[in-house]
Amino acid sequence: MAKKILVTGGTGYIGSHTVVELINEGYEVVIADNLSNSFAFVIDNIEKITGVRPYFYKTELTDAGATKAIFDKHPDVCGVIHFAALKAVGESVEKPLLYYHNNLFSLINIIQAMEEIGCHNLVFSSSCTVYGQPDELPVRETSPILPALSPYGNTKQIAEEMIKDKAGISELKAILLRYFNPIGAHASALIGELPIGVPNNLVPFITQTAIGKRKELSVFGNDYQTPDGTCIRDYIHVVDLAKAHIISLERLLDKRNKNSVEVFNIGTGKGYSVLEVINAFESASKVKLQYKFAPRRQGDIEQIWADTDYANEELKWCAERNLFEMLESAWKWECNLGTLNL
Ligand code: UFG
């Protein structure tokens, strides 16, 4: 019988790609999402891609009763991948309590409900934001956790601590995946990143500018201490990232984890500057991008990329798709969006 996995935030950007990979691997999937930053049509498109419709519950995971009700309906859930969270760095500075309330209560409710049904396997969405601007690059899992630069980042740090504390005194086992910068979309162009309003992140802003929804891209800062003066990030294809979740989940289900809580960097190990991303986009899309240099964005770190040795060796996982493929798929998704009856 297929194993059943609960994916919170399963209609979101990374969540939806992970649901597709789970279904492709033969898992039965239950999605819980409040649709605050995603759309119900994503479930239809997951079905179009996989031929299987996942269970879906529109739920507020900050509500303990509502969270527990999902587990009561599906007491055979054997693992949880917890994506559901607010994630806009700038908004978190404006509305810190919203971020602490949403991101931490939902995690508490999930862990409590898991315990009540005897499910002990958790894969958690963490972020490279927990490292701040590291002193040494590439950044390793053992690098220091520096004070968070935003309430959003702080929720990720606190969540990691909460999971470690709980795992220390219970049967909970968890894998914390510290994502670098996920971009790109599914090859079908039926699911992808769909920001509501003006995009905060680089790649959706690029694709929306190229298609004419935005006038021009502002490149935030060209006076950084990097080869071309623009910030450097480790961009990873969202499908590669999704696959890392399946591998992590199976490590827990097969009891191959070495500690009750394990942490992995999920990136490519390569850093690209904003200008390199723009150039790669132009060659992938054959569109000339309108952009200008603008002042630095507050809170941006100068450069970060991952040391992925530990994930490569321990998880036997490796990012496979290059920057060109990431941007090509992001562009295909943007072009297809008009046909998707939103
Ligand atoms: N950038 C621009 N113009 C834009 C948007 C972004 O120049 O319109 C630049 C940024 O200054 C940065 C790079 O593009 O140098 C990447 O910016 P993103 O906003 O796409 O990504 P961030 O690295 O700032 O943020 C990501 C995640 C956060 C997470 C953070 C951790 O979106 O959730 O990584 O470092 F907290």
PDB file of all heavy atoms in Angstrom, residues 87-107:
ATOM      1  N   LYS A  87       6.894  34.119   4.004  1.00  0.00           N
ATOM      2  CA  LYS A  87       8.313  34.105   3.594  1.00  0.00           C
ATOM      3  C   LYS A  87       8.835  35.411   3.022  1.00  0.00           C
ATOM      4  O   LYS A  87       9.923  35.449   2.466  1.00  0.00           O
ATOM      5  CB  LYS A  87       8.541  32.972   2.591  1.00  0.00           C
ATOM      6  CG  LYS A  87       7.670  33.120   1.363  1.00  0.00           C
ATOM      7  CD  LYS A  87       8.101  32.218   0.232  1.00  0.00           C
ATOM      8  CE  LYS A  87       7.338  32.585  -1.010  1.00  0.00           C
ATOM      9  NZ  LYS A  87       7.823  32.070  -2.238  1.00  0.00           N
ATOM     10  N   ALA A  88       8.066  36.498   3.129  1.00  0.00           N
ATOM     11  CA  ALA A  88       8.549  37.757   2.557  1.00  0.00           C
ATOM     12  C   ALA A  88       9.374  38.511   3.601  1.00  0.00           C
ATOM     13  O   ALA A  88       8.849  38.938   4.640  1.00  0.00           O
ATOM     14  CB  ALA A  88       7.384  38.598   2.073  1.00  0.00           C
ATOM     15  N   VAL A  89      10.651  38.647   3.305  1.00  0.00           N
ATOM     16  CA  VAL A  89      11.584  39.238   4.271  1.00  0.00           C
ATOM     17  C   VAL A  89      11.132  40.640   4.685  1.00  0.00           C
ATOM     18  O   VAL A  89      11.025  40.965   5.870  1.00  0.00           O
ATOM     19  CB  VAL A  89      13.006  39.265   3.674  1.00  0.00           C
ATOM     20  CG1 VAL A  89      13.971  39.966   4.603  1.00  0.00           C
ATOM     21  CG2 VAL A  89      13.485  37.853   3.364  1.00  0.00           C
ATOM     22  N   GLY A  90      10.840  41.498   3.690  1.00  0.00           N
ATOM     23  CA  GLY A  90      10.461  42.891   3.970  1.00  0.00           C
ATOM     24  C   GLY A  90       9.175  42.976   4.778  1.00  0.00           C
ATOM     25  O   GLY A  90       9.076  43.743   5.743  1.00  0.00           O
ATOM     26  N   GLU A  91       8.188  42.177   4.400  1.00  0.00           N
ATOM     27  CA  GLU A  91       6.904  42.179   5.117  1.00  0.00           C
ATOM     28  C   GLU A  91       7.108  41.759   6.580  1.00  0.00           C
ATOM     29  O   GLU A  91       6.449  42.268   7.487  1.00  0.00           O
ATOM     30  CB  GLU A  91       5.927  41.217   4.429  1.00  0.00           C
ATOM     31  CG  GLU A  91       4.549  41.220   5.048  1.00  0.00           C
ATOM     32  CD  GLU A  91       3.629  40.153   4.469  1.00  0.00           C
ATOM     33  OE1 GLU A  91       4.011  38.965   4.446  1.00  0.00           O
ATOM     34  OE2 GLU A  91       2.523  40.500   4.049  1.00  0.00           O
ATOM     35  N   SER A  92       8.045  40.851   6.784  1.00  0.00           N
ATOM     36  CA  SER A  92       8.271  40.365   8.155  1.00  0.00           C
ATOM     37  C   SER A  92       8.825  41.469   9.057  1.00  0.00           C
ATOM     38  O   SER A  92       8.601  41.471  10.264  1.00  0.00           O
ATOM     39  CB  SER A  92       9.197  39.141   8.161  1.00  0.00           C
ATOM     40  OG  SER A  92      10.555  39.510   8.027  1.00  0.00           O
ATOM     41  N   VAL A  93       9.541  42.422   8.446  1.00  0.00           N
ATOM     42  CA  VAL A  93      10.050  43.564   9.222  1.00  0.00           C
ATOM     43  C   VAL A  93       8.884  44.463   9.615  1.00  0.00           C
ATOM     44  O   VAL A  93       8.822  44.983  10.731  1.00  0.00           O
ATOM     45  CB  VAL A  93      11.110  44.341   8.405  1.00  0.00           C
ATOM     46  CG1 VAL A  93      11.564  45.588   9.144  1.00  0.00           C
ATOM     47  CG2 VAL A  93      12.294  43.442   8.071  1.00  0.00           C
ATOM     48  N   GLU A  94       7.925  44.615   8.692  1.00  0.00           N
ATOM     49  CA  GLU A  94       6.744  45.456   8.954  1.00  0.00           C
ATOM     50  C   GLU A  94       5.775  44.799   9.931  1.00  0.00           C
ATOM     51  O   GLU A  94       5.110  45.460  10.700  1.00  0.00           O
ATOM     52  CB  GLU A  94       5.968  45.703   7.639  1.00  0.00           C
ATOM     53  CG  GLU A  94       6.764  46.359   6.528  1.00  0.00           C
ATOM     54  CD  GLU A  94       7.191  47.758   6.895  1.00  0.00           C
ATOM     55  OE1 GLU A  94       6.383  48.477   7.488  1.00  0.00           O
ATOM     56  OE2 GLU A  94       8.351  48.108   6.609  1.00  0.00           O
ATOM     57  N   LYS A  95       5.649  43.469   9.838  1.00  0.00           N
ATOM     58  CA  LYS A  95       4.631  42.744  10.620  1.00  0.00           C
ATOM     59  C   LYS A  95       5.268  41.572  11.376  1.00  0.00           C
ATOM     60  O   LYS A  95       4.952  40.401  11.103  1.00  0.00           O
ATOM     61  CB  LYS A  95       3.549  42.210   9.681  1.00  0.00           C
ATOM     62  CG  LYS A  95       2.834  43.287   8.890  1.00  0.00           C
ATOM     63  CD  LYS A  95       1.865  42.660   7.900  1.00  0.00           C
ATOM     64  CE  LYS A  95       1.198  43.719   7.044  1.00  0.00           C
ATOM     65  NZ  LYS A  95       0.441  43.162   5.923  1.00  0.00           N
ATOM     66  N   PRO A  96       6.165  41.872  12.318  1.00  0.00           N
ATOM     67  CA  PRO A  96       6.890  40.770  12.965  1.00  0.00           C
ATOM     68  C   PRO A  96       5.990  39.778  13.687  1.00  0.00           C
ATOM     69  O   PRO A  96       6.206  38.567  13.602  1.00  0.00           O
ATOM     70  CB  PRO A  96       7.837  41.478  13.939  1.00  0.00           C
ATOM     71  CG  PRO A  96       7.318  42.879  14.075  1.00  0.00           C
ATOM     72  CD  PRO A  96       6.590  43.194  12.815  1.00  0.00           C
ATOM     73  N   LEU A  97       4.956  40.300  14.374  1.00  0.00           N
ATOM     74  CA  LEU A  97       4.122  39.375  15.159  1.00  0.00           C
ATOM     75  C   LEU A  97       3.364  38.411  14.254  1.00  0.00           C
ATOM     76  O   LEU A  97       3.186  37.246  14.600  1.00  0.00           O
ATOM     77  CB  LEU A  97       3.151  40.153  16.049  1.00  0.00           C
ATOM     78  CG  LEU A  97       3.813  41.019  17.118  1.00  0.00           C
ATOM     79  CD1 LEU A  97       2.768  41.611  18.053  1.00  0.00           C
ATOM     80  CD2 LEU A  97       4.859  40.236  17.914  1.00  0.00           C
ATOM     81  N   LEU A  98       2.946  38.920  13.097  1.00  0.00           N
ATOM     82  CA  LEU A  98       2.276  38.045  12.130  1.00  0.00           C
ATOM     83  C   LEU A  98       3.190  36.875  11.763  1.00  0.00           C
ATOM     84  O   LEU A  98       2.765  35.718  11.700  1.00  0.00           O
ATOM     85  CB  LEU A  98       1.911  38.853  10.881  1.00  0.00           C
ATOM     86  CG  LEU A  98       1.298  38.061   9.728  1.00  0.00           C
ATOM     87  CD1 LEU A  98      -0.108  37.599  10.100  1.00  0.00           C
ATOM     88  CD2 LEU A  98       1.246  38.899   8.449  1.00  0.00           C
ATOM     89  N   TYR A  99       4.453  37.186  11.546  1.00  0.00           N
ATOM     90  CA  TYR A  99       5.407  36.152  11.138  1.00  0.00           C
ATOM     91  C   TYR A  99       5.683  35.161  12.266  1.00  0.00           C
ATOM     92  O   TYR A  99       5.699  33.953  12.059  1.00  0.00           O
ATOM     93  CB  TYR A  99       6.705  36.795  10.592  1.00  0.00           C
ATOM     94  CG  TYR A  99       6.548  37.058   9.115  1.00  0.00           C
ATOM     95  CD1 TYR A  99       5.611  38.001   8.662  1.00  0.00           C
ATOM     96  CD2 TYR A  99       7.237  36.318   8.173  1.00  0.00           C
ATOM     97  CE1 TYR A  99       5.400  38.201   7.314  1.00  0.00           C
ATOM     98  CE2 TYR A  99       7.031  36.515   6.813  1.00  0.00           C
ATOM     99  CZ  TYR A  99       6.120  37.445   6.385  1.00  0.00           C
ATOM    100  OH  TYR A  99       5.895  37.623   5.043  1.00  0.00           O
ATOM    101  N   TYR A 100       5.900  35.696  13.483  1.00  0.00           N
ATOM    102  CA  TYR A 100       6.155  34.775  14.607  1.00  0.00           C
ATOM    103  C   TYR A 100       4.923  33.918  14.852  1.00  0.00           C
ATOM    104  O   TYR A 100       5.019  32.707  15.058  1.00  0.00           O
ATOM    105  CB  TYR A 100       6.547  35.556  15.868  1.00  0.00           C
ATOM    106  CG  TYR A 100       7.939  36.155  15.761  1.00  0.00           C
ATOM    107  CD1 TYR A 100       8.133  37.532  15.710  1.00  0.00           C
ATOM    108  CD2 TYR A 100       9.058  35.331  15.682  1.00  0.00           C
ATOM    109  CE1 TYR A 100       9.400  38.075  15.582  1.00  0.00           C
ATOM    110  CE2 TYR A 100      10.331  35.862  15.552  1.00  0.00           C
ATOM    111  CZ  TYR A 100      10.498  37.238  15.506  1.00  0.00           C
ATOM    112  OH  TYR A 100      11.760  37.762  15.373  1.00  0.00           O
ATOM    113  N   HIS A 101       3.753  34.559  14.825  1.00  0.00           N
ATOM    114  CA  HIS A 101       2.512  33.824  15.098  1.00  0.00           C
ATOM    115  C   HIS A 101       2.311  32.729  14.054  1.00  0.00           C
ATOM    116  O   HIS A 101       2.111  31.557  14.377  1.00  0.00           O
ATOM    117  CB  HIS A 101       1.327  34.799  15.114  1.00  0.00           C
ATOM    118  CG  HIS A 101       0.030  34.151  15.430  1.00  0.00           C
ATOM    119  ND1 HIS A 101      -0.798  33.636  14.459  1.00  0.00           N
ATOM    120  CD2 HIS A 101      -0.585  33.885  16.608  1.00  0.00           C
ATOM    121  CE1 HIS A 101      -1.857  33.098  15.026  1.00  0.00           C
ATOM    122  NE2 HIS A 101      -1.765  33.241  16.329  1.00  0.00           N
ATOM    123  N   ASN A 102       2.375  33.122  12.801  1.00  0.00           N
ATOM    124  CA  ASN A 102       2.066  32.171  11.730  1.00  0.00           C
ATOM    125  C   ASN A 102       3.104  31.043  11.642  1.00  0.00           C
ATOM    126  O   ASN A 102       2.752  29.861  11.627  1.00  0.00           O
ATOM    127  CB  ASN A 102       2.002  32.918  10.397  1.00  0.00           C
ATOM    128  CG  ASN A 102       1.513  32.016   9.279  1.00  0.00           C
ATOM    129  OD1 ASN A 102       0.320  31.787   9.145  1.00  0.00           O
ATOM    130  ND2 ASN A 102       2.430  31.466   8.511  1.00  0.00           N
ATOM    131  N   ASN A 103       4.361  31.407  11.568  1.00  0.00           N
ATOM    132  CA  ASN A 103       5.384  30.395  11.285  1.00  0.00           C
ATOM    133  C   ASN A 103       5.655  29.490  12.479  1.00  0.00           C
ATOM    134  O   ASN A 103       6.003  28.321  12.302  1.00  0.00           O
ATOM    135  CB  ASN A 103       6.679  31.068  10.820  1.00  0.00           C
ATOM    136  CG  ASN A 103       6.515  31.725   9.455  1.00  0.00           C
ATOM    137  OD1 ASN A 103       5.422  31.735   8.891  1.00  0.00           O
ATOM    138  ND2 ASN A 103       7.591  32.278   8.926  1.00  0.00           N
ATOM    139  N   LEU A 104       5.495  30.014  13.693  1.00  0.00           N
ATOM    140  CA  LEU A 104       5.835  29.191  14.860  1.00  0.00           C
ATOM    141  C   LEU A 104       4.635  28.414  15.397  1.00  0.00           C
ATOM    142  O   LEU A 104       4.771  27.234  15.719  1.00  0.00           O
ATOM    143  CB  LEU A 104       6.488  30.053  15.943  1.00  0.00           C
ATOM    144  CG  LEU A 104       7.807  30.699  15.453  1.00  0.00           C
ATOM    145  CD1 LEU A 104       8.395  31.606  16.521  1.00  0.00           C
ATOM    146  CD2 LEU A 104       8.836  29.646  15.014  1.00  0.00           C
ATOM    147  N   PHE A 105       3.461  29.037  15.457  1.00  0.00           N
ATOM    148  CA  PHE A 105       2.291  28.285  15.936  1.00  0.00           C
ATOM    149  C   PHE A 105       1.996  27.099  15.016  1.00  0.00           C
ATOM    150  O   PHE A 105       1.648  26.018  15.476  1.00  0.00           O
ATOM    151  CB  PHE A 105       1.054  29.178  16.043  1.00  0.00           C
ATOM    152  CG  PHE A 105       0.975  29.907  17.353  1.00  0.00           C
ATOM    153  CD1 PHE A 105       1.323  31.249  17.442  1.00  0.00           C
ATOM    154  CD2 PHE A 105       0.582  29.257  18.511  1.00  0.00           C
ATOM    155  CE1 PHE A 105       1.269  31.927  18.646  1.00  0.00           C
ATOM    156  CE2 PHE A 105       0.525  29.937  19.724  1.00  0.00           C
ATOM    157  CZ  PHE A 105       0.868  31.269  19.793  1.00  0.00           C
ATOM    158  N   SER A 106       2.109  27.324  13.718  1.00  0.00           N
ATOM    159  CA  SER A 106       1.812  26.216  12.800  1.00  0.00           C
ATOM    160  C   SER A 106       2.777  25.059  13.037  1.00  0.00           C
ATOM    161  O   SER A 106       2.361  23.892  13.061  1.00  0.00           O
ATOM    162  CB  SER A 106       1.875  26.687  11.345  1.00  0.00           C
ATOM    163  OG  SER A 106       3.138  27.227  11.061  1.00  0.00           O
ATOM    164  N   LEU A 107       4.028  25.367  13.265  1.00  0.00           N
ATOM    165  CA  LEU A 107       5.001  24.290  13.516  1.00  0.00           C
ATOM    166  C   LEU A 107       4.672  23.555  14.819  1.00  0.00           C
ATOM    167  O   LEU A 107       4.704  22.317  14.873  1.00  0.00           O
ATOM    168  CB  LEU A 107       6.424  24.870  13.563  1.00  0.00           C
ATOM    169  CG  LEU A 107       7.523  23.862  13.898  1.00  0.00           C
ATOM    170  CD1 LEU A 107       7.612  22.751  12.847  1.00  0.00           C
ATOM    171  CD2 LEU A 107       8.883  24.571  14.020  1.00  0.00           C
TER     172      LEU A 107
END
